[in-house]
Amino acid sequence: MACGTVEIEGKRGLCKLDRSVANEFEEGISVSIISHITLGTNDKDRSARFYDAALGAIGFSRLPKPPEKPLAYERDGQMPIIYIYSPEDGRPATWGNGTHVAFIAATKAQVHGFHEKALQFGGTNEGDPGPRPHYGPNYYAAYIRDPDGNKLQAVCYAPD
């Protein structure tokens, strides 16, 4: 199912919507349908330690930014970028009930690494690593909350 013609860095292509969760272009470039994800924090230094470890376990790295800028993470130079901000309105960061962000892990070992590092750096367990057959035959995931209460998941779709 096409969603129209788009242009990225001078290359035109047809945006297709499908279950791959990516837009594919005729020239062979692939881009996420999500630009970025922003999560709130009340303690940037604590969040830096937590996200460096937890997202690092699934292949993300922190982007170099001046200290006054928010934390930002990417994987393989691809979108989405994950931003960790203190709220602009000055009120405390809070989390939403019923919401979470799921990060794709390439392997089940990465799911375990994400969960382990998250707990080691101040996260709380919301679901041990393991299969979730009610979501699909190859759905292997772990759930945690970051130190600010944001619910995060690492999920691997690779077959056994």
Side-chain angles (χ1 to χ4, degrees):
M1 172 179 204
C3 67
T5 301
V6 295
E7 187 168 325
I8 295 179
E9 296 179 5
K11 296 181 180 179
R12 292 177 52 82
L14 184 63
C15 165
K16 301 173 188 173
L17 298 178
D18 63 19
R19 296 193 66 190
S20 71
V21 193
N23 292 333
E24 308 227 285
F25 297 87
E26 291 169 329
E27 284 83 14
I29 59 174
S30 178
V31 82
S32 170
I33 62 171
I34 297 174
S35 166
H36 63 277
I37 296 166
T38 301
L39 299 170
T41 186
N42 295 306
D43 185 333
K44 186 176 177 182
D45 292 335
R46 177 185 66 191
S47 287
R49 291 186 301 273
F50 175 86
Y51 282 100
D52 285 354
L55 291 182
I58 56 173
F60 281 82
S61 57
R62 188 178 348 159
L63 298 173
K65 296 276 186 187
E68 69 275 9
K69 296 291 186 182
L71 301 172
Y73 297 84
E74 71 177 8
R75 180 167 53 191
D76 300 327
Q78 302 293 313
M79 291 181 182
I81 295 174
I82 313 304
Y83 290 103
I84 313 299
Y85 273 91
S86 296
E88 296 286 331
D89 64 6
R91 297 187 336 209
T94 60
W95 48 272
N97 187 25
T99 62
H100 75 273
V101 177
F103 299 101
I104 293 176
T107 66
K108 292 175 183 175
Q110 281 189 341
V111 172
H112 283 267
F114 169 85
H115 190 258
E116 178 183 310
K117 291 294 186 181
L119 296 178
Q120 181 181 350
F121 284 87
T124 56
N125 185 20
E126 287 283 322
D128 290 331
R132 304 293 196 278
H134 52 288
Y135 293 136
N138 296 322
Y139 201 101
Y140 193 90
Y143 298 86
I144 57 92
R145 286 199 186 269
D146 76 3
D148 289 293
N150 296 299
K151 191 171 183 180
L152 307 173
Q153 172 190 17
V155 58
C156 176
Y157 296 99
D160 289 333

